Amino acid sequence: MRDLKSELLDKRFLQPFASKAVAPPPVWLMRQAGRYLPEYRQVRAEAGSFLDLCYTPDLAAEVTLQPIRRFGFDAAILFSDILVVPDALGQSVRFAEGEGPRLDPIKSVAGLARLALSNTNDKFALVCETVQRLSEALPRETALIGFCGAPWTVATYMAEGKGSSDQAAARGWAYRDPAGFQQLIDILTETSIVYLTGQIEAGANAIQIFDSWAGSLAENEFARWVIAPTARIVRAIRERFPAVPIIGFPRGAAASLQTYIDGTDVDGVSCDTSCPLSVMQTIARTGKAVQGNLDPLLLVTGGDALDQRVDTICETMAGLPFVFNLGHGIVPETPPENVARLVARVRKAS
Ligand code: CP3
């Protein structure tokens, strides 16, 4: 039996999700494992393909631990990818070197026949084995974050067959045939619930739902394709695991953040770089945890510009339930010494 009360006491990362301010704030960074670390590039080369790395528990656990060893973050995030879900469902994903993800696109309801929840067992089991190993290997004070992509964002990659700047394939499908697109969203919603349940049972202490393209939708579509499926995931996970915090990351949707929180009932939100600190303060004052939102490019720049912004964010969010993070993932050009500098600076803040 897991003792969730002692998890909360041991792991300072979890406390903001119980509406507590922690000084200095807990810190972890999106994409803290990745190509900016030489030790990651070495394991990545050994693994062969990126997805082979995700599906090899030994190696996936190793790259998850690398940034914890180097920087002592308060939380580790499972090393995997949001596109493991379509891959496991039956729409194979490839990561072409330097090109990003490639999928054979599904552009209409007829393409959904390729997908089945029953296909996911073996691949999800490998990811959950990684989680299990991590929950044994991590220091007691370090929380483990599991994750999935939100149904909307995952659907954008499935419909487009790759990343896109405007998500036109998914938005077009959703306008043309909302009932058909709803079927895809429903498949992803149910699959995400199964996937997150497995990660929590294997030892994840918190869950993050990445909705990287939440900002591309108009109000009604945001309600239907972002809020409604996320709310369903939150309800299902909370019913089984009431003590496990669920963090939403509706990137690009700062103006709809309160609507998102009210509609989904997440325990906390991650805010992108464009979100004003005053908006983050307002939300944190209601008792919801807020993560964010340093520009990842300032972490490339480093120096005084980095220090000043870190201080501003920490000072503005002091006394509130806050977790220091970036507004989006670390980029490969980031000098690791700037990450060490950031962590030291956050920890000096009181
Ligand atoms: O944050 C972490 O350290 C945990 C692991 C993680 C990865 N991807 C590893 C990864 C997480 C949480 C993700 C989430 C993810 N993946 C998102 C949501 C967050 C965001 O960035 O908006 C999205 C949209 C994806 C899809 C994805 N995966 C793309 C578009 C790419 C290609 C771009 C790139 O940076 O290469 C990936 C590949 C990917 N996912 C890498 C890593 C470390 C790089 C692959 C490599 O090593 O070659």
Side-chain angles (χ1 to χ4, degrees):
M1 256 302 265
R2 283 172 66 184
D3 180 352
L4 293 162
K5 222 180 200 149
S6 79
E7 280 181 21
L8 185 65
L9 289 173
D10 287 345
K11 302 176 197 294
R12 54 206 303 288
F13 165 80
L14 294 173
Q15 294 179 12
F17 300 94
S19 302
K20 291 199 179 69
V22 184
V27 53
W28 71 280
L29 304 178
M30 291 190 264
R31 287 277 180 100
Q32 62 192 22
R35 285 168 298 193
Y36 77 106
L37 289 178
E39 60 268 36
Y40 170 84
R41 294 196 297 270
Q42 195 176 334
V43 176
R44 170 80 169 75
E46 272 171 44
S49 78
F50 173 70
L51 278 179
D52 285 338
L53 176 53
C54 296
Y55 294 135
T56 307
D58 256 351
L59 299 183
E62 168 57 23
V63 296
T64 306
L65 293 169
Q66 287 172 346
I68 306 304
R69 289 192 202 110
R70 232 192 219 254
F71 306 114
F73 290 118
D74 295 292
I77 181 160
L78 161 70
F79 188 86
S80 180
D81 198 84
I82 65 165
L83 300 179
V84 157
V85 164
D87 186 66
L89 279 168
Q91 185 185 19
S92 356
V93 176
R94 305 174 300 286
F95 281 83
E97 211 55 60
E99 281 180 41
R102 291 288 180 276
L103 305 80
D104 185 11
I106 295 178
K107 300 225 173 260
S108 69
V109 74
L112 299 180
R114 285 156 62 189
L115 309 176
L117 182 57
S118 58
N119 293 342
T120 60
N121 297 345
D122 293 354
K123 286 176 174 170
F124 284 3
L126 291 168
V127 175
C128 291
E129 194 181 325
T130 307
V131 174
Q132 163 98 47
R133 286 177 194 216
L134 286 167
S135 71
E136 287 157 12
L138 280 165
R140 205 182 48 162
E141 65 274 17
T142 313
L144 176 57
I145 304 171
F147 73 90
C148 69
W152 162 250
T153 285
V154 176
T156 66
Y157 288 92
M158 295 174 78
E160 199 79 44
K162 55 184 185 342
S164 67
S165 56
D166 56 7
Q167 300 77 55
R171 285 162 60 211
W173 177 1
Y175 281 128
R176 240 178 8 256
D177 176 22
F181 189 70
Q182 181 76 56
Q183 288 184 41
L184 171 57
I185 293 293
D186 288 346
I187 291 169
L188 291 170
T189 303
E190 293 317 312
T191 306
S192 300
I193 291 167
V194 169
Y195 188 44
L196 293 177
T197 298
Q199 293 180 36
I200 295 168
E201 284 176 339
N205 305 115
I207 287 298
Q208 181 151 323
I209 302 173
F210 288 89
D211 218 341
S212 306
W213 299 115
S216 65
L217 292 172
E219 194 171 7
N220 290 346
E221 284 68 30
F222 185 78
R224 182 161 182 186
W225 308 125
V226 168
I227 291 183
T230 305
R232 207 159 117 200
I233 295 171
V234 171
R235 263 199 314 277
I237 297 299
R238 182 157 304 134
E239 199 180 321
R240 290 199 55 181
F241 309 102
V244 173
I246 305 168
I247 310 160
F249 178 38
R251 191 169 71 94
S256 306
L257 212 49
Q258 193 60 56
T259 311
Y260 174 89
I261 293 168
D262 294 342
T264 61
D265 202 27
V266 288
D267 298 289
V269 282
S270 214
C271 296
D272 67 72
T273 298
S274 74
C275 184
L277 291 180
S278 60
V279 171
M280 290 167 54
Q281 279 181 315
T282 303
I283 289 165
R285 285 186 184 126
T286 70
K288 290 283 179 190
V290 172
Q291 285 188 158
N293 75 341
L294 185 89
D295 190 338
L297 289 187
L298 262 180
L299 200 50
V300 178
T301 309
D304 285 347
L306 171 64
D307 291 350
Q308 280 171 24
R309 186 66 191 170
V310 169
D311 291 354
T312 301
I313 293 174
C314 289
E315 284 159 18
T316 309
M317 300 306 290
L320 294 168
F322 172 64
V323 174
F324 195 97
N325 207 314
L326 302 178
H328 201 193
I330 293 183
V331 300
E333 300 73 35
T334 304
E337 54 275 22
N338 287 354
V339 176
R341 182 180 180 122
L342 176 150
V343 172
R345 193 87 189 176
V346 170
R347 297 227 162 115
K348 221 180 64 190
S350 52

